[in-house]
Amino acid sequence: MSGNLQRILEGRGPIRTVGVIGMGYVGIPAAALFADATAFKVVYGFQRDSKSSGYKIAMLSAGESPLKGEEPGLEALLSKVTAAGKFRCTADFSRIAECDAVTLAIQTPFANPKDLIPDFTPLVEGLRNAGRFLTPGTLVVLESTVTPGTTTGMARKILEEESGLVAGEDFCLAHAPERVMVGRLLQNIREHDRIVGGIDDVSTGRACELYGPVLTKGTLIPMSATAAEVTKTAENTFRDLQIAAANQLALYCEAMGINFYDVRAGIDSLKGEGITRAILWPGAGVGGHCLTKDTYHLERGVGELGPGALDWPDDLASLYLTSRRINDFMPTHMLHLTASALAQAGKDTKAPLKGATIALLGWAFLNDSDDARNTPSAPFFEAACAAGATVRIHDPWVDPATAPDIPAGADITRDLNAVLTGADAVVVFAGHREYRALRPAEVKALCGGDHPAIVDGRNVVEPDAWTGQGFVYRGIGRGDKNGQRPGTRTNPV
Ligand code: SAJ
């Protein structure tokens, strides 16, 4: 870092014009909040005029949000800042030359769900566009979740190549990871603490100048760019780890014939000074676009940034990768529970799934949500079909026309009666409110058999109410009820 950059910034003055590249669920609320801040004069929302998302330009220019689902306050804020002339959406990336600060809010999905390698193509294109029109003193901030080392590595390299400028000398560069959740975008940006990591102190300081005006409850947490990248990936890695710990304990409780939820309540009761027990919930699996990939970003980062520097026990797998494997095992466990219940209900014990009709309830990865990215229902569906079952899928929230990566042959319907009619097994994968309201007697009448199976992956049904109606019950963590004879309330022998 030289005094050169500081001098350029002093000559340039405070940030007044802001650019946000990527009009998605991260970029749109961020741009609206920057535009609403009195500190800034005007905000450009940069959006490629592509076939798939070019429509957003006209909508946003009219002050309308192209985002699906309820986002409290966003529509009104967009309308306000557009009418005030403080926000403009454009495909003209050359206007980046007018910006004192440019943020990149471009997602980094898997190239394909199997190899877990992120597809940085869209981010690289955004970086090239930013670099092409970069001017001395501009601040560039990556908000996308990236592998640690990306900001000081690939991003810096592309920006310097395209601009002919030098990061830390001629322009500022930082990473400020987004921490937004759908349904509370504006609130999250305003109220979550904001990690701000520059490649040097001047960049960190300039990034704090950009984000400070949009925070209400949140505070700025300055650090290095790489530390910011590790913070983001690690905060999701730790959540995945906590879920895996709950899943492993649930599997232990099933094996020992006890109720995980009693144990959880017991553990949770330990309170007091300095005592923390963050025990989460076991379930049919972990989906979504955060927890399923951020561990791999972190693991790649330590592999690239610290090759040979990591002191780790010989032949011991990463705890974080082991957690990913535990969570990815849960759909398989659901299949094992389903097979076990069908065998108990009288199906061929050697191949209970073969020829069985399964009602798969829930395609979304999250309760009461239409989001199906990396859903754990998909591997269950594929494995059950491979075992010879017929699987009918219900989800009251997911739109089959827009859900990503739906496997061949998977038809998602909102007709619950049709899915339940004639089913040998009812398997709950999402804790949608509709499934908590299921009445066992009505479901039994639709299934038609003497002892259909109910397999509960989200702890939404009460076991005795279902076994009392003749169902064979299985539930994750319910070692006290799994195998209980239909019509009885006694523990399995
Ligand atoms: N899950 C469990 N047990 C739990 C919690 C979740 O099995 O105790 C499963 C869910 O069913 C789902 C998956 O894990 O399939 C992910 O659930 P999530 O609640 O973590 O939701 P995400 O994937 O949308 O995570 C986002 C993340 N937010 C950001 O990256 C900005 C995460 O950091 C948040 O902690 C999380 O939302 C949240 O708490 O809502």
Side-chain angles (χ1 to χ4, degrees), residues 165-239:
L165 300 174
V166 177
E169 296 282 328
D170 306 313
F171 66 93
C172 301
L173 178 57
H175 177 62
E178 56 84 10
R179 288 171 138 180
V180 295
M181 279 150 265
V182 169
R184 39 197 200 270
L185 299 175
L186 290 182
Q187 179 194 352
N188 286 166
I189 295 175
R190 285 173 170 143
E191 298 181 3
H192 277 170
D193 289 345
R194 192 77 199 226
I195 309 294
V196 180
I199 62 168
D200 53 39
D201 292 346
V202 174
S203 298
T204 302
R206 192 69 165 173
C208 287
E209 183 190 332
L210 174 66
Y211 288 100
V214 302
L215 297 182
T216 53
K217 283 191 200 152
T219 60
L220 292 164
I221 303 184
M223 58 180 74
S224 73
T226 303
E229 292 165 334
V230 173
T231 299
K232 172 64 187 179
T233 50
E235 69 189 16
N236 283 338
T237 298
F238 269 61
R239 182 167 174 83

Side-chain angles (χ1 to χ4, degrees), residues 39-51:
F40 309 124
K41 180 165 61 76
V42 66
V43 176
Y44 292 110
F46 294 100
Q47 175 57 53
R48 291 178 309 164
D49 192 4
S50 64
K51 240 204 308 298

